[in-house]
Amino acid sequence: MLWNFQDNFVIAPGVFNPFSALLAKRANFKAIYLSGGGLTSSLGLPDLGVITLDEITWMLRRITDVVNLPIIVDADTGFGEALNVYRAVKVLEKAGATAIHIEDQVMPKKCGHLQGKEVISTKEMIAKIKAALMARKELMIIARIDSRGVMGLRDAIERGKAYVDAGADVIFPEALESKEEFLQFRKEIGSDVKLMANMTEFGKTPLITAEEFKSMGYNVVIFPVTAFRVAAKAMEEAYNAIAKDGSQRSLMGKMMTRREQYDVINYDFYEDLDSSMAKGL
Ligand SMILES: C[C@](O)(C(=O)O)[C@H](CC(=O)O)C(=O)O
Ligand SMILES: [Mg+2]
């Protein structure tokens, strides 16, 4: 689905499968974010660039099959060099991505909020951005800068300017460490550049609200792994309770009911379709 930037400010919560995406839509979000961190964890894998283009595309297709919302896709480093970025953009756009972000880390990439990251040169990243622009039809290209934790804020700002000059549609300064840094980044990059912020937990960025990001002039804010982390804790509790009590009695009040679950997946539509088929329509 095409991006509608008319609002000029969008909150995109992270999703990691179609069910989570359906829940985000029911909560009235106008866009969603397919998180590499959430997806890899749900596969029992680390977010170190070990999943393939095919794997994320498969999940993107499953999500866009059932949820009609703009979706930003985490394309990590673009699955290789500029040539791989070119192909990734073709494939992800065809599978329904509205925007993708590619980041300037070397492989193996890491979560942007961890220590020990390394970045590629500005020149190499510009080649990736240009390849992405050549490949896209309408997909938005978000350039993620991972250098704040490696070379400092000044380097991140300079990269931001260079990525804008290369034609990136949106700039994503990763893992800034305070509101002051977000403000300084906005000030120095200029008011006409679209900016995305990442409000992940347990990382380098303190908790900042969407409203605060909006007032600091950011255009998109993602909450990439929040729902996954809450769900993970709830699942852990459920397994432990069953293991301990041999019963789910203590969990009943915490569950989505069967009715609610079926409403999310539009169950009745399929039942009705089946019965009208049986009656010959
Ligand atoms: C935004 C992110 O790229 C993601 O994959 O969701 C991660 C989030 C996280 O690990 O908390 C990131 O690198 O910040
Ligand atoms: Mg990621």
Side-chain angles (χ1 to χ4, degrees):
M1 186 189 256
L2 267 186
W3 192 268
N4 173 0
F5 248 123
Q6 275 158 2
D7 288 348
N8 221 24
F9 181 70
V10 176
I11 306 171
V15 302
F16 54 97
N17 64 16
F19 196 88
S20 60
L22 285 165
L23 290 176
K25 177 149 186 175
R26 286 170 80 84
N28 247 326
F29 285 102
K30 302 294 176 241
I32 49 179
Y33 172 69
L34 176 51
S35 156
L39 177 61
T40 49
S41 276
S42 76
L43 296 173
L45 291 168
D47 189 13
L48 290 169
V50 295
I51 61 163
T52 63
L53 172 61
D54 257 0
E55 286 173 302
I56 194 145
T57 304
W58 186 89
M59 189 56 81
L60 174 63
R61 287 205 187 102
R62 299 292 76 76
I63 293 171
T64 54
D65 277 352
V66 294
V67 182
N68 187 24
L69 272 184
I71 179 163
I72 305 169
V73 179
D74 181 352
D76 285 348
T77 60
F79 309 96
E81 303 299 328
L83 269 185
N84 307 83
V85 170
Y86 182 89
R87 176 148 186 275
V89 166
K90 290 268 180 215
V91 170
L92 292 170
E93 180 159 17
K94 220 167 173 183
T98 307
I100 60 155
H101 69 74
I102 47 172
E103 66 203 34
D104 55 8
Q105 287 197 53
V106 300
M107 285 290 268
K109 55 127 308 155
K110 283 175 184 280
C111 158
H113 291 252
L114 298 183
Q115 303 292 355
K117 293 189 294 182
E118 284 175 51
V119 287
I120 60 175
S121 69
T122 303
K123 194 168 155 229
E124 285 168 295
M125 183 61 175
I126 287 174
K128 287 189 171 189
I129 294 169
K130 292 210 160 137
L133 294 170
M134 275 176 71
R136 67 105 172 260
K137 289 199 181 91
E138 289 167 315
L139 181 88
M140 296 192 72
I141 306 300
I142 304 172
R144 167 169 143 177
I145 302 160
D146 270 84
S147 71
R148 163 65 186 91
V150 188
M151 277 120 133
L153 186 62
R154 173 65 23 218
D155 181 88
I157 293 169
E158 292 316 318
R159 281 176 185 253
K161 290 179 181 163
Y163 301 167
V164 170
D165 290 344
D169 300 303
V170 179
I171 300 294
F172 169 6
E174 170 69 318
L176 301 194
E177 298 190 5
S178 62
K179 278 177 82 172
E180 291 66 38
E181 291 197 3
F182 280 101
L183 278 169
Q184 188 180 345
F185 196 95
R186 162 50 84 203
K187 190 165 152 239
E188 295 209 29
I189 199 97
S191 57
D192 50 344
V193 174
K194 301 274 186 216
L195 289 180
M196 172 161 133
N198 173 10
M199 190 55 268
T200 195
E201 304 83 15
F202 314 114
K204 301 273 185 204
T205 305
L207 295 185
I208 297 173
T209 66
E211 204 49 48
E212 288 173 308
F213 277 117
K214 186 179 178 186
S215 62
M216 291 193 286
Y218 282 71
N219 307 91
V220 186
V221 58
I222 57 170
F223 289 80
V225 199
T226 311
F228 175 86
R229 290 188 176 120
V230 171
K233 195 84 183 166
M235 286 190 282
E236 183 178 57
E237 186 190 347
Y239 290 118
N240 286 338
I242 300 166
K244 182 168 144 282
D245 306 335
S247 163
Q248 68 276 64
R249 201 169 294 281
S250 68
L251 300 167
M252 293 308 293
K254 295 181 173 169
M255 283 188 204
M256 179 173 265
T257 63
R258 183 189 293 272
R259 181 67 257 161
E260 289 162 346
Q261 175 193 346
Y262 284 6
D263 283 347
V264 174
I265 59 171
N266 210 7
Y267 184 92
D268 290 352
F269 166 80
Y270 293 96
E271 278 269 274
D272 293 349
L273 183 64
D274 189 43
S275 32
S276 48
M277 290 300 173
K279 284 186 218 130
L281 286 172

